[in-house]
């Protein structure tokens, strides 16, 4: 039987049981009035049964009279009228009712009832003061008036222990989040995102590219939830809080709760935001003149020859009219591709309801343009919630959300190209007019001519051979492009569009089977059905106009990929709360969840399309086509228990059993238990004396297990693929071969963790502290593509368990209520801080050596390396020690004195005698003494002696010879730090004066090292890329003291000035002003007087990322790390600075 | 009453829970069993004979991949005296050519061979289970398939043994991750070789004799192919066991292996001869009836010489003279990456040269056959088959291109001087239908009749002492191979048996003939290793190699002084993962070279 059928059947049963029928009928009538207003017109008159379920209803006429047929005389008659207190009475034998309503303006006397705020924890609703797990909640009402693209931005700097780093400042590129460090090396390292109890799966992410799930340019999934719809975000940190998510919870859980309707008069509110954003200023690049000088030197230095005399693009020759005016500019490419980004957001909600039903409908539309030209994002989102209370026992709820996002991206990373492009090149093409002997601007974008096949003087219509990397040539894969082209033209003519529809309907029924309120034994059932239908498509086009390739070459390319996914989840809860003697509370919940998903995707790529056509389905040269389908099931059961005594001692237990299709029969089920407790010390008798100052002191220890399973399915089967055919001359045998080894031994990755939580509230909750200390140990780390001895017949296992990881850390979260209250003035503080220490504690030696490749002795390549005892994201490289001031012949240490005398006092020996910097490339032993050869001459420093044999020269970078063997080789590579933050935190101060509020929020992140590859490319003078102005301080002649080596173009000769070293490893410590917001709320009474029906009106002005205090030399210190590799700055678009104005009003 | 109501309310959830629990165990398992939607799994596969043969096809297809075929050349011939480097674009190839064998060199990655072995193992393990499932598939249908896969497996292993000597020996079909990561140590060559020989001895008569078409008869394993591989393995084991140490360990084994090699060769020669005679009308010429007939084509000698044997073997492919060749069709399935990468081919309208070209031995011809200054004499058609000498102004960079496999037909205008180089003259050799690099459909020949003839000659020359009349057979066989490629030879230039007095001189003649006959066919390096094994020293072999190393010769000789150095280093990446592997002592790199 198909699963769908089973579920339908189940639902039908549930629906049936909620209908019961009674038949006694009788007619009643009456009049409703009030002493103040006379007859109540259009008042609701209802017959309700014992469960508060409506049996019959009517409304009163103009005179307040009503008449209706009732079903049961035992029912109650209720009358509801806006502005009056509800009236009710048993019907009994009465047939004519005279009902007098009372105005509800009348105040009731004070009633004190001790009740604690209840929160949902592990599926149970328990008082907040009994919560024994580590969580932190962000109330989105506090964020009103701030403009965020998605919820992760709002979380940045707010949650202790959550490290949120922007992937890039491009629109829709999302954030990378790490909660309490990294516990997994395969698959996703981001926390699980849960919206209203259901996992927000990123189908477009997983189905597009399984090998590279963390690709920064993926669709940011959180865009599917409009920030305005979010009521609160709860971050679940420790194992006890996440255990209910079992196999999905090991990276932590972020639970988003959306807003629902509230009882009351229908209220319409609207928001409008306008945001202007711009990029922080980046590296100062050379202008055209400085670039030409630098490049000529870079070509001259390696061979001391005039290779560049033939590079017409650098020669400014007036007689080469095809080149002169196109290569004599001072173009600021970065300026040409950046702009003031603008965003308009409109958001409307309608919200209201009565006792029986509450609803909320919201609609939002955003239009944003990026800080890089030609980027834009449009989003339409709507969400409808409805809660229908059928009776005291039965409630139906639904939540229906639809999001459509369309993201117009650049075809490639425009900013990186802008940084690399030749600044003496013109943006538009200049044409020579021989009649006037002058040049005019044609207005077309300038496209470099096709590159010549070899060095030498070129004819008109060719680009010099050495500059071929500047010519437009883009490979289909965005990340492996070569050639920088004309960034402005590329941004304008090529495109990449991603659009995504997501529909998530959710239906829920709650049924109280036994008691209706807490004073009786309760057994509550909750059933949910949730669907997630996603359809996304991406298109890209790169026209011939940008390419100097031939017509048969790789031009006019177009690609399209589509994928669709439908997931269906049903969840059933049964909660039992027995009535126990006073002071004891016990609850137990059982939950079963079943999930099925199916998906399909297809992609198509063509080239040589006929000009103007961008659709890849037309007849052209097909370069790639694929389709795939997928199907997955999962099943899980969980139970959680809560017991408390006098609300002073609480104990929680959770167990989840996860069934996964990724494992064979023996390992199919993973069990994830957790246990936690809480002791409210401040409730103890002995604590009484301190009670005056201390409101709450609690201690909550917890322990639990969470896990992770392989993210690909069907790895437990031997899969067979078509392998073409064997034979010739028309005789063939078709071939099929197996692709993989079936995984039978892979186990669940498990993270065992403990947490000690302390809470302290002082001075009537004026100061609140929440401290957590934790330790996590992940064992059976899952690794993708584990290499095996190839003599098995296969080279890898899809997955295996390979090692273990450790994370330890602490978190502090502090907040205050209004302090320093004087008159209308008050202020609030928030502060959070956290530290996490990550360490790889073990890994199989063969896996390690499989991951750790040999150093390739090439420039610009950092080793990708995993080392036991070090953290993930570690950086390894040489130590940079400056630049050799003197060359070998200027050493002054030769046996032959005449050779020493040749350069007079301009030698290292003379400089050493003067006590100056006397670096020169000669080998020294551990004591710093020069090593001499048999002839008495100093030994020269070599790079990789015996293989590369490069002799270091004056102006070359000095790498520390760690082992003093007179050469620089892989044995001199050392650990240079890692990209994990040492300290992470945020703080904010909110000021309030009357109707004015000023909110601030800062984010601090220290200790994370970033490899500034953007600066490496902009300072190494090895390529034709434009360089930063720092290279003006480059070494030019013996005796120069500088930090910047000589210019050595790689095409003209070998040099090793850009080896992986700490020269480019930078501290990314920063303090960022996350936002600053000023709001003015009009007095409701004041607004009401305008008579427009307005209820509330507020204006706000906020600035995001206004400044960032950092010593980081790149544009932006925020860079995310993935898998093993550290964080690299590749001049991704930085997070922009922005100013937002917003209006918020309601009717 | 109230109790009853509660009870009533609990009936439904209770029932649901009960039903759920009862059905759960099997239902959940079914629910969590999700088969991939776009691929077949082993559960649905292995049903009938078609499934089996399509995996057998994959065993063959693996031979056509660059990972396997290019290494046949790199391990089997690149290091020999046949080639010089023509392009330095591949650093790793350059290192091998300079006798700089680094364990980090990717050409020592043997994974593609083990992939093929794994596929053979898989067929061998699954085959018997099909017999029960597919009623049309019987034990007698299975036997030739089993023989086919055992032979292919032996062929894969034989390449590994010849290239690395001791290698991990895996006969198990792995399909699960169970134990997949366990280290797998090397097994001594003798053990592996003996197993493979016994394995083939056991199935050699199960092999197919006719697949029903010429193409499959040439490109699939036949009975003849099994015998040929056996002959080759016997020859190798005999050479290996000639040295005093091994001879003491395995007394008499070398002699018996040579005898068995001769038997195996005889079987194939006899069968081929029978087929040639049967098809006498179809194949117009197969040697001179006046001499001992041999199953070989001969060139037509009417005026211009049409090189029939070349055209048949390397041009139209699937020749009767061929015993086993790896099939390429250049379009649908596979491109011969070996030929394209190392020899070249047409690209557009120009002849593109590959990584290697002919060495000094091939750059000129001698006046008479079997002189040792050059490989070929001026009348030897194989000079034109092997090397394309370009007779024009800027020939320097283009000359001495390997042409074997690339041209489909060869015609020589003047057979008395094949490589005529008169300026201003039209080329003496016409190459027709040059294969393009993008459509390289040349089949790679593994065994052909002349190989069997020369293997037999080699075995005889090794087996019999000086003066034994049997040696004449070895000479005759070798001479026959030489003679058919020299149609225009002057009678005065013909070789005489009397000038080859000793067994040693005949053996040298055989080995030289092998070099001439099999240039560019991936055999010369293994021939040189056999020479060195029989000598128990690399000295003579290095003298032969000296044609190649003109610079830095003494350093290279020192490097190649031990027999170990004839075998390749174990790939470093493989050693990292398979920790039981031991590096070939000749190529152990000192990881910490300290300069001072």
């Amino acid at each position: 039987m198909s699963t769908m059928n089973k579920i339908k059947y189940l639902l039908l049963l549930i629906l049936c049981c909620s209908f019961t029928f009674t038949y006694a009928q009788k007619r009643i009538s009456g009049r409703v009035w009030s002493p103040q207003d006379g007859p109540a017109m259009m008042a609701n008159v209802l017959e309700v049964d014992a469960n508060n379920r409506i049996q019959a209803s009517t409304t009163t006429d103009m005179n307040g009279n009503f008449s209706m047929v009732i079903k049961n005389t035992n029912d109650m008659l209720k009358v509801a009228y806006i502005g009056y207190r509800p009236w009710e009475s048993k019907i009994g034998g009465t047939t004519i009712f005279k009902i007098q309503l009372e105005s509800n303006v009348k105040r009731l006397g004070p009633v004190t009832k001790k009740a604690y705020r209840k929160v949902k924890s592990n599926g149970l609703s328990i008082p907040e003061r009994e919560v024994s797990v580590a969580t932190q909640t962000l109330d989105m009402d506090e964020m009103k008036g701030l403009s965020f693209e998605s919820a992760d931005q709002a979380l940045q700097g707010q949650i202790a222990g959550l490290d949120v780093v922007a992937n890039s400042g491009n629109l829709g590129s999302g954030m990378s989040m790490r909660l309490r460090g990294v516990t997994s090396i395969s698959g996703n390292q981001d926390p699980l995102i849960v919206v209203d109890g259901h996992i927000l799966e990123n189908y477009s992410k997983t189905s597009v590219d399984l090998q590279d799930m963390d690709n920064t340019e993926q669709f940011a999934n959180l865009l599917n939830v409009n920030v305005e719809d979010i009521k609160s975000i709860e971050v679940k940190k420790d194992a006890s809080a996440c255990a209910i998510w079992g196999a999905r919870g090991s990276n932590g859980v972020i639970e988003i709760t959306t807003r629902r309707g509230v009882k009351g008069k229908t209220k319409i509110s609207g928001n409008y935001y306008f945001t202007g954003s711009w990029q922080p200023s980046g590296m100062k690049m050379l202008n055209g003149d400085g670039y030409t000088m630098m490049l000529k030197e870079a070509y001259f230095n390696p061979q001391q020859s005039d290779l560049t005399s033939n590079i017409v693009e650098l020669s400014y020759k007036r007689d080469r009219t095809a080149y002169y005016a196109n290569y004599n500019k001072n173009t600021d490419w970065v300026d040409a591709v950046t702009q003031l980004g603008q965003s308009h957001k409109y958001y409307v909600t309608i919200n209201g309801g009565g006792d029986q039903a509450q609803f909320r409908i919201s609609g939002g539309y955003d239009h944003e343009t990026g800080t890089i030209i030609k980027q834009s994002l449009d989003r339409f989102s709507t969400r409808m919630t409805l809660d229908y209370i059928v009776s005291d026992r039965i409630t139906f709820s639904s939540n229906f959300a639809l999001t459509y996002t369309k993201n117009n991206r650049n075809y490639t990373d425009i900013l990186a190209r802008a940084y690399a492009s030749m600044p003496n090149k013109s943006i538009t093409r200049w044409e020579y007019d021989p009649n006037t002997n002058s040049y005019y601007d044609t207005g077309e974008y300038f496209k470099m001519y096709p590159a010549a096949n070899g060095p030498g003087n070129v004819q008109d219509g060719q680009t010099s051979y050495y500059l071929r990397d500047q010519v437009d040539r883009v490979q289909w894969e965005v990340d492996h492009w070569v050639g920088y082209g004309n960034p402005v033209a590329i941004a304008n003519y090529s495109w990449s569009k991603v659009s995504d529809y997501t529909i998530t309907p959710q239906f829920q029924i709650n049924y109280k089977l036994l008691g209706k309120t807490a004073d009786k034994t309760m057994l509550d059932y909750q059933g949910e059905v949730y669907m997630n239908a996603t359809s996304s498509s991406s298109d890209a086009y790169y026209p011939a106009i940008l390419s100097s390739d031939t017509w048969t070459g790789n031009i006019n390319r177009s690609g399209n990929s589509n994928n669709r996914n439908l997931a269906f989840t049903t969840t059933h809860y049964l909660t039992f709360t027995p009535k126990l003697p006073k002071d004891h509370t016990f609850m137990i919940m059982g939950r079963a969840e079943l999930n099925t998903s199916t998906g399909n995707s297809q992609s198509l790529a063509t080239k040589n399309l006929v000009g103007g056509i961008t659709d890849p389905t037309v007849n052209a040269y097909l370069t790639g086509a694929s389709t795939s389908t997928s199907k997955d099931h999962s099943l899980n059961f969980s139970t959680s228990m809560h017991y408390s005594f006098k609300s002073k001692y609480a104990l929680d237990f959770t167990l989840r059993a996860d069934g996964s299709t990724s494992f064979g029969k023996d390992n199919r089920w993973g069990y994830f238990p957790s246990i936690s407790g809480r002791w409210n010390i401040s409730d103890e008798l002995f604590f009484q004396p301190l009670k005056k100052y201390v409101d709450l002191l609690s201690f909550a220890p917890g322990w639990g297990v969470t896990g992770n399973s392989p993210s690909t399915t069907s790895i437990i089967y031997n899969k067979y693929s078509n392998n073409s055919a064997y034979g010739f001359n028309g005789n063939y045998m078709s071939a099929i071969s197996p692709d993989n080894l079936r995984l039978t031994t892979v186990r669940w990755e498990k993270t065992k963790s403990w947490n000690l939580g302390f809470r302290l509230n002082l001075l009537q909750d004026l100061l609140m502290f929440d401290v957590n200390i934790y330790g996590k140990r992940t064992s059976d780390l899952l690794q993708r593509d584990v290499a095996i001895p190839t003599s098995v017949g296969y080279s890898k296992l899809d997955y295996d368990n390979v090692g273990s990881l450790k994370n330890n850390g602490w978190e502090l979260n502090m907040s205050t209520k209004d302090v320093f209250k004087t008159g209308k003035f008050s202020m609030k503080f928030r502060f959070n801080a956290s530290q996490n220490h990550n360490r790889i504690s073990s890994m199989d030696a063969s896996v390690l050596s499989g991951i750790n490749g040999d150093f390739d002795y090439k420039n610009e390549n950092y080793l990708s390396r995993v080392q036991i005892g070090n953290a993930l994201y570690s950086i390894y490289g040489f130590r940079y020690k400056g630049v050799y001031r003197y060359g070998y012949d200027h050493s002054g240490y030769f046996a032959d004195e005449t050779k020493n005398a040749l350069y007079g006092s301009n030698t290292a020996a003379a400089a050493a005698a003067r006590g100056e910097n006397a670096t020169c490339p000669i080998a020294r032993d551990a004591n710093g003494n020069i090593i001499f050869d048999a002839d008495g001459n100093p030994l020269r420093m070599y790079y990789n002696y015996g293989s590369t044999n490069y002799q270091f020269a004056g102006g070359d970078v000095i790498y520390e010879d760690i082992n003093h063997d007179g050469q620089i080789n892989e044995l001199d590579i050392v650990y240079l730090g890692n990209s994990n933050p040492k300290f992470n935190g945020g703080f904010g101060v909110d000021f309030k004066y009357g109707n004015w509020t000023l909110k601030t929020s800062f984010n601090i992140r220290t200790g994370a090292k970033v490899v500034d590859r953007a600066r490496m490319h902009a300072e190494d003078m090895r390529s034709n890329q434009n360089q930063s102005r720092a290279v003006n301080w480059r070494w030019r002649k013996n005796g120069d003291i500088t930090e910047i080596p000589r210019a050595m173009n790689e095409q003209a000769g070998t040099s090793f000035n850009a080896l992986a070293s700490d020269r480019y490893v930078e501290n990314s410590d920063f303090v960022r002003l996350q936002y600053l917001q000023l709001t003015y709320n009009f007095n409701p009474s004041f607004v009401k007087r305008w008579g427009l029906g307005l209820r509330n009106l507020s204006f706000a002005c906020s600035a995001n990322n206004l400044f960032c205090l950092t010593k980081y030399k790149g544009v932006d210190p925020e860079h995310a790390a993935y898998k093993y590799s550290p964080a690299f700055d590749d001049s991704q678009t930085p997070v922009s600075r922005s100013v937002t104005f917003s209006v918020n009003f309601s009717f | 009453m109230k109790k009853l109501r509660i009870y009533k309310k609990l009936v439904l959830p209770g029932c649901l829970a009960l039903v759920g629990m009862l059905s759960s165990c099997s239902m959940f398992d079914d629910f969590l069993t999700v088969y991939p939607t776009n691929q077949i799994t082993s559960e649905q596969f292995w049903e009938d004979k078609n499934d089996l043969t399509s995996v057998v096809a994959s065993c063959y297809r693996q031979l056509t991949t660059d990972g396997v075929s290019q290494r046949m050349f790199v391990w089997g011939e690149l290091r020999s005296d046949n080639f010089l480097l023509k392009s330095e674009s591949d650093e790793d190839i350059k290192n091998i050519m300079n006798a700089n064998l680094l364990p980090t060199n990717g050409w020592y990655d043997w994974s593609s061979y083990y992939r093929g072995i794994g596929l053979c193992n898989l067929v061998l393990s699954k085959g018997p289970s099909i017999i029960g499932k597919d009623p049309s598939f019987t034990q007698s249908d299975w036997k030739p398939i089993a023989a086919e896969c055992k032979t292919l497996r032996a062929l894969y292993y034989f390449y590994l043994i010849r290239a690395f000597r001791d290698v991990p020996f895996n006969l198990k079909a792995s399909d699960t991750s169970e134990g997949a990561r366990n280290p797998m140590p090397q097994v001594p060559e003798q053990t592996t070789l003996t197993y493979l020989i016994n394995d083939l001895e056991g199935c050699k008569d199960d092999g197919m004799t006719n697949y029903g078409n010429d193409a499959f008869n040439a490109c699939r394993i036949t009975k003849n192919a099994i015998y040929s591989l056996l002959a080759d393995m016997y020859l190798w084991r005999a050479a290996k066991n000639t040295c005093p140490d091994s001879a003491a360990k395995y007394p008499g084994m070398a002699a018996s292996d040579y005898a068995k090699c001769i038997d195996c060769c005889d079987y194939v020669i006899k069968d081929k001869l029978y087929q040639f005679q049967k098809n006498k009308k179809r194949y117009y010429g197969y040697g001179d009836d006046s001499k001992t007939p041999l199953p070989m084509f001969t060139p037509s000698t009417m005026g211009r010489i049409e090189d029939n044997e070349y055209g048949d073997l390397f041009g139209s492919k699937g020749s009767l003279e061929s015993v086993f060749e790896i099939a390429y069709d250049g379009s649908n399935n596979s491109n011969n990456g070996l030929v394209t990468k190392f020899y070249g081919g047409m690209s557009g309208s120009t002849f593109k040269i590959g990584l290697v070209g002919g060495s000094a031995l091939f750059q000129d011809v001698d006046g008479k056959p079997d002189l040792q200054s050059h490989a070929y004499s001026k009348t030897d058609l194989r000079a034109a088959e092997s090397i394309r000498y370009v007779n024009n102004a800027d020939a320097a960079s283009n000359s001495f291109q390997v042409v074997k496999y690339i041209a489909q037909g060869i015609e020589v205008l003047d057979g008395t001087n094949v490589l005529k180089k008169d300026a201003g003259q039209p080329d003496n050799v016409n190459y027709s239908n040059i294969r393009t690099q993008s459509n390289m459909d040349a089949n790679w020949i593994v065994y052909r009749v002349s190989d069997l003839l020369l293997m037999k000659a080699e075995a005889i020359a090794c087996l019999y002492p000086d003066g034994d009349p049997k040696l004449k057979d070895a000479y005759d066989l070798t001479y026959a191979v030489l003679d058919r490629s020299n149609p225009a030879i002057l009678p005065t230039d013909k070789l005489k048996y009397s000038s080859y007095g000793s067994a040693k001189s005949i053996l040298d003649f055989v080995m030289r003939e092998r070099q001439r006959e099999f240039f560019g066919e991936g055999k010369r390096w293994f021939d040189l290793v056999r020479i060195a094994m029989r000598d128990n020293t690399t000295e003579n072999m290095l003298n032969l190699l000296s044609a190649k190393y003109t610079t830095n010769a003494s350093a290279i000789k020192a490097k190649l002084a031990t027999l170990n150095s004839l075998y390749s280093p174990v790939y470093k990446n493989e050693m990292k993962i398979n920790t039981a592997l031991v590096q070939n002592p000749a190529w152990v790199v000192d990881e910490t070279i300290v300069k001072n």
Side-chain angles (χ1 to χ4, degrees), chain B residues 4 40 50 112 130 192 201 204 212 238 318 324 341 378 396-397 409 414 416 440 442 444 450 472 476 483 512 564 572:
Chain B
L4 196 71
I40 317 168
N50 279 342
S112 303
I130 310 277
T192 317
E201 280 291 346
K204 64 182 179 187
F324 177 60
K341 184 175 178 80
K378 60 182 180 179
S397 64
D414 178 1
T416 59
M440 185 56 72
W444 181 254
S450 52
K472 177 76 165 57
D476 286 344
D483 192 47
R512 278 196 298 275
N564 284 336
K572 195 175 175 191

Side-chain angles (χ1 to χ4, degrees), chain A residues 629 633 724 732 738-739 800 844, chain B residues 31 37 39 115 181 329 333:
Chain A
T629 59
H633 288 173
S724 192
Y732 292 103
D739 295 345
D800 209 6
D844 295 2
Chain B
F31 181 72
T37 48
Q39 268 175 310
R115 168 78 178 154
R181 282 170 61 197
D329 72 355
N333 307 308

Side-chain angles (χ1 to χ4, degrees), chain A residues 248-269:
Chain A
R248 303 294 300 272
S250 63
N251 292 331
V253 178
I254 293 178
E255 267 193 24
I256 293 175
T257 309
T258 60
R259 294 175 197 272
R260 300 196 77 89
V262 214
K263 198 154 57 168
K265 198 181 160 186
T266 303
K267 193 171 141 187
I268 301 170
S269 55

Side-chain angles (χ1 to χ4, degrees), chain B residues 315-346:
Chain B
S316 50
K317 316 190 286 184
S319 162
L320 191 57
E321 201 185 311
S322 147
V323 176
F324 177 60
E325 55 194 45
I326 298 168
Y328 290 90
D329 72 355
S331 56
N332 294 336
N333 307 308
S334 48
N335 212 35
N336 193 329
L338 188 173
V339 173
T340 320
K341 184 175 178 80
F342 292 100
Y343 303 162
M346 289 300 270

Side-chain angles (χ1 to χ4, degrees), chain A residues 10 84 102 236 331 470 526 706 999 1088:
Chain A
L10 206 75
Y84 294 89
E102 282 174 50
K236 311 218 163 217
T331 306
Q470 290 281 349
Q526 180 182 327
T706 50
K999 288 181 183 170
K1088 235 176 204 168

Side-chain angles (χ1 to χ4, degrees), chain A residues 8-150:
Chain A
K8 275 181 201 159
Y9 181 61
L10 206 75
L11 275 174
L12 195 69
L13 276 176
I14 292 159
L15 286 171
C16 286
C17 74
S18 61
F19 293 106
T20 48
F21 304 95
T22 40
Y23 290 98
Q25 289 199 353
K26 181 186 171 190
R27 178 167 288 274
I28 57 165
S29 61
R31 180 162 183 262
V32 184
W33 61 286
S34 75
Q36 293 86 12
D37 298 322
M41 188 167 61
M42 299 297 283
N44 282 318
V45 183
L46 312 166
E47 178 203 350
V48 292
D49 68 6
N51 292 329
N52 246 341
R53 181 161 44 188
I54 298 172
Q55 299 293 346
S57 72
T58 185
T59 51
T60 54
D61 64 10
M62 287 175 72
N63 300 319
N65 294 324
F66 72 91
S67 163
M68 67 195 281
V69 175
I70 58 157
K71 293 202 171 124
N72 192 332
T73 49
N74 291 327
D75 288 348
M76 303 285 283
L77 188 70
K78 280 195 179 185
V79 177
Y81 193 55
I82 290 165
Y84 294 89
R85 285 167 59 194
W87 177 96
E88 64 176 78
S89 159
K90 197 167 181 193
I91 297 171
T94 324
T95 50
I96 295 166
F97 291 85
K98 293 213 180 302
I99 300 160
Q100 182 177 336
L101 294 176
E102 282 174 50
S103 167
N104 67 357
V105 180
K106 201 187 258 178
R107 282 272 169 117
L108 290 168
V111 175
T112 33
K113 194 182 168 197
K114 199 174 175 184
Y116 297 111
R117 202 164 92 89
K118 286 202 169 185
V119 292
K120 271 244 172 191
S121 175
N122 281 340
L124 293 170
S125 186
I126 57 174
E128 195 176 15
R129 66 194 315 280
E130 291 175 19
V131 171
S132 61
V133 301
T135 65
Q136 192 183 331
T137 307
L138 187 69
D139 185 355
M140 289 306 284
D141 287 335
E142 299 278 320
M143 299 273 180
K144 216 169 162 186
L146 287 162
S147 170
F148 298 110
E149 203 176 68
S150 54

Side-chain angles (χ1 to χ4, degrees), chain B residues 69-79 93 96 107-108 338 342 525:
Chain B
S69 70
Q70 292 184 346
R71 280 172 181 77
M72 287 183 177
F73 174 77
V74 172
W75 299 344
E77 198 172 6
L78 184 68
R79 290 173 73 190
I93 291 294
I96 297 174
W107 287 103
Y108 299 121
L338 188 173
F342 292 100
W525 177 256

Side-chain angles (χ1 to χ4, degrees), chain A residues 513 629 633 661 718 720-721 723-726 732 736 738-739 742 744-745 790-791 800 844 849 852 940, chain B residues 9 28 31-32 37 39-42 46 54 58 61 115 170 175-177 181 219 329 333 574 576 595:
Chain A
L513 291 160
T629 59
H633 288 173
T661 54
N718 291 114
Y720 284 73
S721 291
N723 189 12
S724 192
Y726 177 75
Y732 292 103
I736 293 177
D739 295 345
R742 181 160 56 93
T744 51
T745 47
T790 58
S791 33
D800 209 6
D844 295 2
S849 53
N852 295 335
R940 196 165 179 156
Chain B
K9 275 174 189 159
F28 294 162
F31 181 72
L32 292 176
T37 48
Q39 268 175 310
I40 317 168
T41 65
S42 53
W46 300 115
S54 52
S58 284
R61 260 198 73 79
R115 168 78 178 154
N170 179 18
D175 61 352
T176 75
S177 59
R181 282 170 61 197
C219 77
D329 72 355
N333 307 308
E574 186 70 28
K576 281 179 177 176
K595 196 176 156 195

